[in-house]
Amino acid sequence: AIAAAAARMLGPPQTQAQPLKGRRVLITAGPTREAIDPVRYIANRSSGKQGFAIAAAAQAAGAEVTLISGPVDLDDPPGVTVAHVESARQMLAAVEAALPSDIAIFTAAVADWRVAHAGAQKLKKTEAGVPPLQLIENPDILATISNLRDERPPLVIGFAAETEHLIGNAKAKFARKGCDWMIANDVSPGTGVMGGDRNTVHLLTRGEDGEIRTESFPVMTKEEVAAMLIERIISALPGPAA
Amino acid sequence: AIAAAAARMLGPPQTQAQPLKGRRVLITAGPTREAIDPVRYIANRSSGKQGFAIAAAAQAAGAEVTLISGPVDLDDPPGVTVAHVESARQMLAAVEAALPSDIAIFTAAVADWRVAHAGAQKLKKTEAGVPPLQLIENPDILATISNLRDERPPLVIGFAAETEHLIGNAKAKFARKGCDWMIANDVSPGTGVMGGDRNTVHLLTRGEDGEIRTESFPVMTKEEVAAMLIERIISALPGPAA
């Protein structure tokens, strides 16, 4: 009885089911910030909550989790290795440094563009008017990792945040990126998904015929979405750890 | 003895010195966010800490404080009326709605520019390349309020955050804006001021001859800067409440 009480106080025993034990899981989360000058930047409204929830769920399932996060207001999940970055280029470098990995889940809202020539000093208002803000394309982290020759993780999962034509845009992105699964979610202002605690997602996979299959879920908490995704991953990875 | 103990437990008595009692103080703080599309925005690294510290100090001195803040990760100061806004235009509208005021202190790092045509939907990568990001000038809140005909607060204080030529840039800004005092601070990345807890400030005022006077302070916590500024305000405002 004393041992049982002690076990309850100490939490779940280490012998509980850890279906991802020995698996390395890499997760990106949050927004990126792209500097305009030393004080200004371009960012987005991603809170990082969905990626942090997936990291916590993967860790609870026994995985060795590396979470690479842009600037967020969340505490690092216990037991997870967290790398904090700002820009898309820093995030890509951190992802590459975290390879090899068995599973890679790219939830971060990576800036598609950055400022071509970030100012070394704060841009000033001038008589000449507004300074030009020339944008250039950022590296595509999901496509880059999906197309690696040597260290491509066996399961690469992308997220597609869209404000219109959700399934159509997500299918086009899925076809283009080279990842294995894609989660599509609607981040229109009215949904409250960006920054909020709930998410309505669609899981895109490929059938044996190569056709894209779409499975739609009801509105769930971001923790429930994480649990669903980890369950699907466990089902899809029956083999031994890499 | 019991009464004294009770008084200690209840905190400072209401009869303590409240030199700003009856004064209305308006303070802006934090960054603004300027939408690019429903998920992306332009922002800056202001934490809002200096403005929140000034609001707390003014409230402690008995003032009726309205704090208008951009997106920050700070708790609303107790006893202060707080309006939360995002964009420069929203901040200006909230400032105008908070008038009349005896003292206005503009610590916010207001975006000088916004995107001319914010997208109603998330901008997409296209074959054509990077979408244009045309900027236009935002309203200048400090200059607007400093130049009001009817409801100009009797004491208007601006902040100038600079990364180079600190005093020169701040003097030029002071001369141009029409405010009564200006606080200049160096926000170069090496200083740790943006987002940090300390600040090194210079107080610009005008002598009776109209010449700009600069008083430089040692590095202080943002609470110490707030206390210094409130002391100066108390000294400068001997008359009855408006």
Side-chain angles (χ1 to χ4, degrees):
Chain A
I2 291 170
R8 279 196 301 275
M9 288 177 66
L10 292 167
Q14 287 305 306
T15 52
Q16 76 171 125
Q18 293 206 305
L20 292 183
K21 190 164 174 61
R23 303 283 184 180
R24 290 169 60 95
V25 177
L26 167 63
I27 300 165
T28 66
T32 64
R33 282 185 186 173
E34 308 298 328
I36 297 172
D37 63 25
V39 299
R40 301 179 179 98
Y41 58 84
I42 297 176
N44 64 69
R45 298 179 189 276
S46 169
S47 66
K49 287 178 183 173
Q50 186 61 78
F52 275 57
I54 294 169
Q59 196 275 336
E64 187 184 324
V65 181
T66 299
L67 174 62
I68 297 163
S69 179
V72 296
D73 299 327
L74 303 172
D75 292 331
D76 290 354
V80 169
T81 302
V82 185
H84 293 277
V85 300
E86 287 223 335
S87 70
R89 286 179 296 174
Q90 289 167 357
M91 186 171 277
L92 176 58
V95 166
E96 289 173 333
L99 296 177
S101 188
D102 297 291
I103 301 143
I105 308 170
F106 295 104
T107 78
V110 181
D112 289 323
W113 305 285
R114 67 177 182 275
V115 178
H117 307 286
Q121 301 296 340
K122 191 177 167 187
L123 300 178
K124 305 296 293 179
K125 280 187 191 180
T126 64
E127 300 275 326
V130 174
L133 199 57
Q134 184 64 44
L135 301 181
I136 57 173
E137 207 161 320
N138 262 329
D140 185 324
I141 297 177
L142 175 59
T144 300
I145 302 305
S146 295
N147 290 291
L148 283 180
R149 244 169 212 258
D150 295 331
E151 289 198 314
R152 185 193 191 279
L155 180 58
V156 177
I157 304 171
F159 270 65
E162 305 288 344
T163 62
E164 61 180 347
H165 312 307
L166 173 62
I167 301 298
N169 277 338
K171 280 187 174 176
K173 201 175 271 188
F174 188 31
R176 204 167 61 232
K177 301 279 189 173
C179 56
D180 302 302
W181 299 355
M182 181 157 269
I183 301 269
N185 61 350
D186 184 345
V187 297
S188 302
T191 63
V193 168
M194 278 262 172
D197 294 321
R198 290 172 179 277
N199 206 351
T200 307
V201 304
H202 310 265
L203 175 61
L204 278 59
T205 55
R206 279 193 192 83
E208 287 184 9
D209 54 359
E211 283 296 296
I212 295 175
R213 294 181 184 178
T214 303
E215 184 176 2
S216 298
F217 294 84
V219 60
M220 294 194 279
T221 66
K222 290 181 177 177
E223 286 72 23
E224 288 167 343
V225 170
M228 176 278 289
L229 185 60
I230 294 299
E231 276 173 30
R232 294 303 174 102
I233 289 170
I234 292 166
S235 302
L237 281 181
Chain B
I2 290 170
R8 278 197 301 276
M9 287 176 68
L10 291 168
Q14 289 305 305
T15 53
Q16 76 171 123
Q18 294 206 305
L20 292 182
K21 190 165 174 60
R23 303 283 185 180
R24 290 169 59 95
V25 177
L26 166 62
I27 299 165
T28 67
T32 65
R33 281 185 186 172
E34 308 299 329
I36 297 172
D37 63 26
V39 299
R40 302 181 179 96
Y41 58 85
I42 296 175
N44 64 68
R45 297 179 189 277
S46 169
S47 66
K49 287 178 183 173
Q50 186 62 77
F52 276 57
I54 293 168
Q59 195 276 338
E64 186 182 324
V65 180
T66 298
L67 173 62
I68 296 162
S69 179
V72 296
D73 300 325
L74 303 172
D75 293 332
D76 290 354
V80 170
T81 301
V82 184
H84 294 278
V85 298
E86 285 223 337
S87 70
R89 288 179 295 173
Q90 288 168 357
M91 186 171 277
L92 175 59
V95 166
E96 289 173 335
L99 297 176
S101 187
D102 298 291
I103 301 143
I105 308 170
F106 296 104
T107 78
V110 181
D112 289 323
W113 305 285
R114 69 177 181 275
V115 178
H117 306 286
Q121 301 297 340
K122 191 177 169 188
L123 300 180
K124 306 296 294 179
K125 283 188 190 178
T126 65
E127 300 275 326
V130 174
L133 200 57
Q134 184 64 43
L135 301 181
I136 58 174
E137 208 161 321
N138 262 331
D140 185 325
I141 297 176
L142 175 59
T144 301
I145 302 304
S146 294
N147 290 290
L148 284 179
R149 246 169 210 259
D150 296 330
E151 289 197 314
R152 184 193 192 279
L155 178 58
V156 177
I157 304 171
F159 270 65
E162 306 287 345
T163 61
E164 61 179 346
H165 312 307
L166 173 61
I167 302 299
N169 277 338
K171 280 187 173 175
K173 200 174 274 188
F174 188 31
R176 203 167 63 232
K177 302 279 189 175
C179 57
D180 302 301
W181 299 354
M182 181 157 270
I183 301 269
N185 61 350
D186 184 346
V187 296
S188 301
T191 62
V193 167
M194 277 262 173
D197 294 320
R198 290 173 179 276
N199 207 350
T200 308
V201 303
H202 309 265
L203 175 61
L204 277 60
T205 56
R206 278 193 193 81
E208 288 183 8
D209 54 1
E211 284 295 297
I212 295 176
R213 294 182 185 178
T214 303
E215 184 176 1
S216 298
F217 294 84
V219 60
M220 295 194 279
T221 66
K222 289 180 177 178
E223 287 71 24
E224 288 168 343
V225 170
M228 176 278 287
L229 185 61
I230 295 299
E231 277 173 29
R232 295 303 174 101
I233 289 170
I234 292 166
S235 302
L237 282 181

